[in-house]
């Protein structure tokens, strides 16, 4: 059986017009130089690549004229030898650059301008997975924090101020004294404290590459108590290490757990290490910073405060040093948002 190339050669010999057409195509391709063959897509933020983060290039001159390229390489090697003999370093460098280009493959891939952006987005997604942040807040952004959902004017005023503080905290993060954080307070549940704290965490992660870890205060103590069981793989020290060393730690709902000397000791341990290492801490609570002293006061097994114990005061002092208290609205928007979501869902169900 004849090879395809041999059959094609015979066809061109019998048909001069076909032979001329193939020569024209060959010469045309060879004269086109370098072309990017990647079809641009809207998936690429720069609208250059197909969304893969890479661009495919072809040097048609090299592809269609390999013999000429080989001749050029030999020619420049001879020129390099002459330059070397004359000790002409500048000419040697120039020829070396030309040779490297000639030796490159006729087809190659290059990173698109969006490659680093895609890489950063993947790293942010990876960090989000490790952060432990609730799914509902993983895409939360400060500019998406709605002020007008609050029914009362005083609540809207408080929400607007809290949003402004959060925005400035993000934009001026590198100017703020290292280790300084925010303490979001409202005695009402569903006031937006957690959403705003997580929004800041997301921004610090994406804009400054910070590692963010989220924890619910009562979950922390549950995790640590589990470490006392032999079957648990993680130790108390390993769990605390994560919270001590994260660039940004979000402690959600501090002081909602049952008051105990154990809870105060663990929190103090974490916050003391973070303060010494200038780590950013964001806290949400339904207690003011001043009220924490009483919440975490050492108590006996009957729940009575132990006289002359200063555990609660020490914890309050640490948080007061590390965080600025931001007063959130004394109004819950959780029910309002739930009603809005149910109305939208109802429209779908009965459409």
């Amino acid at each position: 059986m004849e090879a395809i190339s041999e059959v094609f050669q015979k066809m061109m010999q019998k048909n001069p017009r076909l032979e001329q057409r193939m020569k024209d195509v060959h010469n045309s391709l060879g004269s086109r130089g370098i072309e990017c063959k990647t079809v641009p897509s809207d998936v690429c933020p720069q609208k250059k690549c197909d969304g893969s983060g890479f661009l495919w290039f072809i040097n048609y001159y090299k592809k269609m004229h390999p013999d000429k390229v080989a001749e050029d390489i030999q020619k420049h090697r001879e020129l390099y030898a002459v330059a070397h003999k004359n000790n002409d370093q500048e000419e040697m460098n120039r020829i070396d650059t030309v040779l490297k280009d000639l030796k490159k493959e006729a087809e190659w891939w290059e990173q698109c301008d969006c490659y680093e952006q895609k890489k950063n987005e993947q790293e942010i997604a990876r960090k989000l997975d490790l952060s432990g942040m609730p799914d509902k807040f993983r895409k939360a952004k400060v500019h998406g924090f709605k002020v007008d959902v609050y029914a009362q004017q005083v609540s809207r005023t408080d929400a607007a101020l809290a949003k402004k503080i959060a925005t400035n905290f993000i934009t001026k993060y590198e100017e703020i004294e290292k280790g300084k954080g925010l303490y979001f307070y409202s005695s009402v549940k569903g006031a937006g404290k957690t959403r705003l704290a997580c929004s800041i965490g997301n921004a610090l992660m994406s804009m400054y590459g910070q590692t963010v870890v989220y924890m619910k205060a009562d979950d922390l103590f549950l995790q640590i108590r589990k470490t006392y069981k032999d079957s648990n793989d993680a130790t108390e020290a390993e769990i605390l290490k994560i919270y001590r060393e994260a660039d940004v730690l979000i402690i959600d709902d501090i002081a909602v757990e049952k008051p105990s000397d154990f809870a105060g000791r663990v929190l103090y341990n974490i916050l003391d290490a973070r303060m010494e290492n200038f780590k950013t801490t964001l806290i949400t609570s339904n207690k003011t910073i001043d009220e924490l002293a009483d919440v975490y006061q050492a108590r006996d097994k009957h729940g009575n405060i132990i006289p002359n114990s200063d555990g609660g005061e020490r914890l309050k002092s640490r948080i007061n040093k590390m965080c600025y208290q931001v007063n959130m609205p004394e109004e819950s928007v959780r029910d309002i948002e739930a009603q809005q979501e149910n109305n939208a869902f109802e429209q779908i169900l009965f459409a």
Side-chain angles (χ1 to χ4, degrees):
M1 185 175 179
E2 289 184 287
I4 294 176
S5 59
E6 293 176 0
V7 174
F8 204 66
Q9 285 293 332
K10 289 180 179 180
M11 288 174 60
M12 288 194 295
Q13 290 172 5
K14 293 179 181 179
N15 190 338
R17 293 181 64 186
L18 174 61
E19 182 180 11
Q20 184 59 47
R21 188 180 304 168
M22 291 305 299
K23 286 182 179 179
D24 291 342
V25 171
H26 188 279
N27 293 332
S28 174
L29 287 173
S31 64
R32 283 167 68 179
I34 298 173
E35 285 191 13
C36 178
K37 301 301 292 181
T38 303
V39 179
S41 167
D42 289 338
V43 177
C44 172
Q46 310 296 329
K47 292 181 174 54
K48 290 183 177 180
C49 73
D50 55 5
S52 65
F54 292 91
L55 299 168
W56 174 33
F57 289 91
I58 296 179
N59 186 322
Y60 283 103
Y61 177 80
K62 286 185 178 182
K63 197 170 183 67
M64 306 309 296
H65 303 291
D67 293 340
K68 291 183 179 180
V69 174
E71 289 175 6
D72 286 343
I73 291 174
Q74 183 58 36
K75 172 187 171 184
H76 281 82
R77 280 175 175 168
E78 293 170 359
L79 290 172
Y80 185 89
V82 173
H84 184 269
K85 185 178 179 179
N86 296 331
N87 198 26
D88 189 342
Q89 189 61 50
E90 184 177 344
E91 180 67 1
M92 288 166 63
N93 291 339
R94 185 191 70 78
I95 296 171
D96 187 56
T97 301
V98 174
L99 280 169
K100 285 179 181 178
D101 185 62
L102 286 169
K103 291 176 182 178
K104 286 180 181 178
E105 296 291 333
E107 297 185 36
W108 70 95
W109 294 87
E110 290 183 7
Q111 291 180 1
C112 177
D113 292 339
C114 76
Y115 177 80
E116 286 300 324
Q117 182 177 338
K118 289 176 70 68
K119 188 177 177 182
N120 290 338
E121 289 173 354
Q122 290 170 354
E123 178 63 14
I124 291 168
R126 185 186 70 82
K127 286 183 176 180
L128 266 174
D129 287 339
L130 296 174
S131 71
M133 192 180 294
D135 289 342
K136 66 183 293 185
F137 298 129
R138 289 190 174 196
K139 294 183 179 180
K141 292 179 171 58
V142 172
H143 68 73
F145 183 76
K146 298 177 182 178
V147 173
D148 56 2
V149 295
Y150 296 91
Q152 302 172 28
Q153 181 56 49
V154 64
S155 296
R156 295 195 200 103
T157 301
D158 288 341
L161 181 59
K163 183 175 182 178
K164 181 178 181 179
I165 291 172
T167 301
N168 288 336
F169 186 84
I170 293 166
T171 56
K172 300 178 181 179
Y173 184 65
E174 293 181 326
E175 303 174 28
I176 294 171
E177 182 182 343
K178 288 185 177 180
K180 285 293 185 181
L182 299 173
Y183 184 100
F184 294 97
Y185 160 74
S186 171
S187 64
V188 177
K189 292 182 178 180
K193 301 185 289 289
T194 303
R195 178 181 294 277
L196 202 50
C198 287
S199 297
I200 294 173
N202 290 336
L204 298 183
M205 196 184 306
S206 61
M207 293 173 63
Y208 303 102
Q210 298 291 277
T211 299
V212 177
V213 170
Y214 168 95
M215 77 174 207
K216 285 192 76 70
D218 51 352
D219 288 345
L220 166 66
F221 307 122
L222 182 61
Q223 287 182 52
I224 291 176
R225 287 192 177 96
K226 285 181 179 178
T227 65
Y228 300 137
K229 297 180 181 179
D230 294 337
S231 60
N232 197 285
D233 293 331
T235 66
E236 177 181 343
E238 289 170 337
I239 292 173
L240 292 179
K241 187 174 186 291
I242 295 171
Y243 298 132
R244 285 187 191 124
E245 297 183 359
D247 296 328
V248 180
L249 176 64
I250 300 173
I251 307 178
D252 195 19
D253 279 341
I254 196 174
V256 299
E257 73 283 350
K258 184 179 179 180
S260 70
D261 184 52
F262 171 77
R265 176 179 63 80
V266 172
L267 276 174
Y268 182 84
N269 185 305
I270 292 171
L271 294 171
D272 188 55
R274 295 188 64 77
M275 186 181 77
E276 289 182 356
N277 292 285
F278 305 103
K279 302 289 187 180
T280 302
T281 307
L282 306 172
I283 301 174
T284 75
S285 181
N286 62 357
K287 301 289 184 181
T288 65
I289 294 178
D290 286 338
E291 290 173 332
L292 295 178
D294 182 59
V295 173
Y296 290 105
Q297 188 76 10
R299 302 170 188 269
D300 60 26
K301 61 181 180 180
H302 302 294
N304 300 314
I305 294 176
I306 299 175
N308 302 319
S309 60
D310 64 350
E313 281 293 337
R314 290 170 65 216
L315 181 64
K316 183 198 85 170
S317 177
R318 280 289 178 273
I319 294 178
N320 204 31
K321 170 74 174 174
M322 297 169 67
C323 298
Y324 175 80
Q325 183 168 302
V326 181
N327 294 328
M328 295 291 289
E330 290 296 327
E331 178 185 346
S332 174
V333 293
R334 192 174 291 163
D335 292 339
I336 297 173
E337 289 179 339
Q339 186 59 51
Q340 290 174 344
E341 290 170 1
N342 286 337
N343 290 341
F345 188 36
E346 187 178 73
Q347 293 296 318
I348 295 174
L349 294 177
F350 293 97

